[in-house]
């Protein structure tokens, strides 16, 4: 873990994570501010901010998560770090698990920070209604699970494929899927990890009315469980691969 965090400082991973936070918060506030109801201080609502975040996260997170995973894994390809780690007693699969844990901590901090900053923005903008604490917490937890699942996928891709442009290309494709998943039937949104960004949206328009939505908690919990099992199985197979 200490080695992975040292690599992060060298790779400026904190800067990439900060960019993700800034983009999500900026787009969320900007989207809310352009809402017709938000211009009137008396009509400002938390749903506008949650709706803005539900749009901003799918736009920013998939590609930047791919960048985080790619940077953290590609250094092993460049310096034959897989072999070096094996000589130190750390298998390729074990190294992937350590990388996921280390980068996952950064992603978790960034995701929570996005939520806290947006909550602070709402308080500064004097949203008159009480904070929907349950919905806000549930949405933040759901987005965190989705982010970690996408991160795990890209760590596996980056470890398996030397050409990091492949992973970044899939990140771009994931962004497109995440953005347009709101227009897909729920059954199709369940097919890819990026579709879950739409399934856990905390607010959205029904007709012309912006309303609070209940995230698909059972679906995101199932995604997290299945992803954890698959990540463990795949990294165990990496353990039997020659460096």
């Amino acid at each position: 873990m200490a080695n992975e965090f040292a690599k992060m400082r060298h790779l400026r991973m904190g800067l990439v994570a900060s960019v993700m936070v800034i983009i999500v918060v900026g787009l969320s506030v900007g989207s809310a501010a352009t809402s017709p109801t938000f211009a009137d201080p008396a009509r400002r609502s938390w749903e506008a901010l949650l709706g803005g975040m539900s749009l901003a996260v799918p736009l920013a997170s998939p590609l930047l998560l791919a960048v985080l995973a790619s940077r953290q894994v590609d250094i092993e390809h460049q310096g034959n770090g897989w072999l070096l780690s094996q000589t130190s007693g750390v298998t390729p699969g074990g190294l992937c698990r350590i990388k996921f844990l280390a980068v996952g901590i950064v992603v978790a901090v960034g995701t929570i920070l996005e939520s806290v900053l947006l909550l602070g923005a709402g308080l500064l903008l004097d949203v008159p209604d009480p904070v929907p604490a349950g919905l806000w917490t549930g949405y933040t937890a759901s987005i965190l699970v989705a982010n970690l699942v996408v991160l795990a996928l890209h760590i596996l891709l980056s470890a398996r494929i030397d050409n990091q442009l492949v992973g970044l290309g899939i990140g771009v494709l994931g962004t497109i899927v995440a953005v347009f998943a709101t227009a897909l039937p729920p059954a199709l949104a369940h097919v890819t990890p990026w579709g879950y960004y739409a399934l856990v949206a905390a607010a959205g328009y029904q007709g012309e009315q912006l309303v609070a939505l209940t995230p698909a908690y059972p679906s995101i919990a199932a995604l997290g469980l299945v992803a954890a099992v698959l990540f463990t199985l795949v990294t165990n197979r990496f353990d039997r691969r020659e460096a």
Side-chain angles (χ1 to χ4, degrees):
M1 284 291 289
N3 287 337
E4 292 305 313
F5 281 110
K7 294 172 187 175
M8 284 186 201
R9 289 193 293 271
H10 173 71
L11 296 169
R12 303 184 186 276
M13 298 283 279
L15 177 60
V16 178
S18 298
V19 168
M20 184 171 69
V21 172
I22 292 170
I23 291 176
V24 169
V25 174
L27 288 176
S28 301
V29 174
S31 176
T34 58
S35 172
T37 60
F38 218 78
D40 182 359
R43 298 176 63 195
R44 289 174 182 170
S45 67
W46 294 106
E47 286 78 12
L49 290 170
L50 285 169
M53 191 172 180
S54 296
L55 292 173
V57 169
L59 277 170
S61 295
L63 179 57
L64 289 173
L65 289 171
V67 172
L68 286 171
S70 175
R71 290 178 68 84
Q72 194 70 15
V73 176
D74 189 44
I75 192 172
E76 311 302 337
H77 294 305
Q78 293 179 359
N80 202 15
W82 303 111
L83 180 59
L84 180 61
S85 295
Q86 279 193 298
T87 60
S88 303
V90 181
T91 61
L95 186 56
C96 286
R97 292 188 288 271
I98 293 170
K99 287 181 180 294
F100 171 73
L101 182 58
V103 183
I105 291 172
V106 174
V107 171
V109 171
T111 303
I112 294 171
L113 186 58
E114 291 167 1
S115 179
V116 171
L117 289 175
L118 192 60
L119 181 62
L123 295 174
L124 288 174
L125 292 168
D126 294 323
V127 176
D129 299 326
V131 177
L135 177 59
W136 203 284
T137 303
Y139 175 67
T140 302
S142 299
I143 287 300
L144 176 57
V145 172
N147 282 346
L148 291 177
V149 169
V150 172
L151 174 67
L153 171 63
H154 279 286
I155 285 177
L156 295 178
L157 288 171
S158 297
R160 189 67 184 86
I161 304 171
D162 291 358
N163 187 347
Q164 297 304 301
L165 290 177
V166 174
L168 295 178
I170 292 175
V172 173
L173 179 61
T175 300
I176 296 172
V177 172
V179 170
F180 288 100
T182 54
L184 297 175
L188 290 179
H190 281 84
V191 172
T192 69
W194 303 282
Y196 286 78
Y197 287 113
L199 293 173
V200 300
Y205 281 94
Q206 291 185 352
E208 296 183 355
Q209 183 69 30
L210 181 64
V211 297
L213 302 174
T214 302
Y217 296 125
S219 295
I220 197 69
L223 174 69
L225 179 60
V226 171
V229 172
L230 290 177
F231 185 79
T232 302
L233 291 175
V234 174
T235 53
N236 284 339
R237 291 196 64 181
F238 283 178
D239 288 340
R240 297 190 291 272
R241 186 185 71 180
E242 293 184 5

